[in-house]
Amino acid sequence: MQFTYSAISKKDSKRISGTIDAATEQAARDSLQRKGFQPLVVKAKKSGFDLNNLSLGKKKVKLKDLVVFTRQLATMINAGVPLVKSLSTLSAQTENPSLKNAINDITKEVEGGLNFADSLERHSDIFTPIYINMVRAGEAGGILDEILKKLATQQEKDSKIRGKFKSAMTYPIILLSITMSVFMGLMLFVVPRIGTIIKDLGGPDAELPQLTRVLLSISAFLTSKWYIVIGLGIVIAYFLRKYVKTPKGRRNKDILLLKIPIINTIIKKVAIARFARIFASLMSAGVSVIETLEVTSKAIGNAVIEEELKNAAKEVTNGKQLSEPLTESKVFPPIVAQMMAIGEETGQTDEILLKVADFYEEEVDATVDSLSSILEPIMIVVMGGMVGLISASVIGPISNLSTQI
């Protein structure tokens, strides 16, 4: 049978994943070790139609549920309750069915001897890479309760920023939806009728303005070939979504986002705040700078910034202080490099970075609050411009024809 695995190469410490054929899970682990890999996660690959694999009706784990679970687990472990007992207790009182099932599985796996972090990795649809790596660092350093508290704080901050951004974008999105609906309604129902009236008044040989002819052509195409437009839209959306999930597509998407005014400012400030808070948490847990950079880079959520941090990690490996490559960064402002340099000199990097995180989180709040007030008038102008364009293309020829009559 086939097993999926995640392992680390003993030769260069790189993480790999894939599938392997073996009779049992232990046989799969032994085979990986013989090939020079240290297996982290090995599990049987499910095949065929399985109702349990269907996501239909599966309740998503909200960030709020994960925050509550993380904070309660930290409190129980800090109080001296064993990990397995803590997980069993939390499983009994968790209301979200998806999270409840995941905790039950994790409890059994940890009870069977698997590391907590490796067990979390088997549920990567719920627990993010940064969550798993920080738990792994906490287990290694014997400070799992402290790491879980920091994780809960980090998740709460992320949730707050996401909530503010969604709130700021709600009104512009509604306006955009109304604008598109009005435009499609006019093009499908109003413009064809007005086009017929214009042709009736001016006759088949009537010369219409270029703008009117263009809009009438678009309207005729949408009316007669609407199924092509819808089908093409679905196909483009499908392939675009698949492309964005590839490394190259993700990178190109992130490059584009960093070029959009206002949005790029928010992305950079969120990235800096997240980098500072996670880096500080891992440093305080005793994780090395190189490993911290590797973990943090994956948690930023932007491929361009991730590349910068990985390049910085290479320079740190060559003997430089982290503040030096950050000084040359195109994303991180000079103040971050300066604060990092002060932290390296005083030995208080984690404390200083927490202050940087607090500062940039406040900056994100202020920027997001102003985003709504900036986008609202822009969307209104766009909406008015589209309706005005159609009106001008219709009123112009009618006015000319009435003059000729």
Side-chain angles (χ1 to χ4, degrees), residues 28 36 65 107 127 158 205 230 355 368 370 388 393 398:
D65 297 328
T107 305
F127 301 97
D158 282 351
D205 298 328
I230 294 174
K355 292 177 182 178
V368 170
S370 64
S393 68
I398 290 178

Side-chain angles (χ1 to χ4, degrees), residues 63 86 102 110 121 128 136 169 209 253 255 390:
L63 190 56
S86 300
V110 171
E121 195 166 23
T128 62
R136 184 170 281 115
M169 291 301 293
K253 179 203 73 174
I255 290 172
I390 295 175

Side-chain angles (χ1 to χ4, degrees), residues 270-284:
V270 168
I272 293 167
R274 187 175 292 176
F275 160 78
R277 191 168 293 281
I278 294 173
F279 195 94
S281 299
L282 290 172
M283 286 294 290
S284 64

Side-chain angles (χ1 to χ4, degrees), residues 134-163:
M134 285 187 72
V135 166
R136 184 170 281 115
E139 282 186 299
I143 51 171
L144 184 58
D145 55 334
E146 292 180 24
I147 287 294
L148 288 171
K149 286 179 183 177
K150 293 179 186 298
L151 261 174
T153 302
Q154 175 64 37
Q155 289 169 330
E156 285 169 346
K157 296 286 185 181
D158 282 351
S159 179
K160 183 181 176 184
I161 291 172
R162 286 182 191 175

Side-chain angles (χ1 to χ4, degrees), residues 35 74 94 104 117 179 254 276:
K35 292 178 180 179
T94 300
N104 284 333
T179 302
D254 291 337

Side-chain angles (χ1 to χ4, degrees), residues 121-136:
E121 195 166 23
R122 293 188 175 189
H123 302 274
S124 56
D125 57 326
I126 296 175
F127 301 97
T128 62
I130 185 61
Y131 195 108
I132 296 164
N133 282 297
M134 285 187 72
V135 166
R136 184 170 281 115

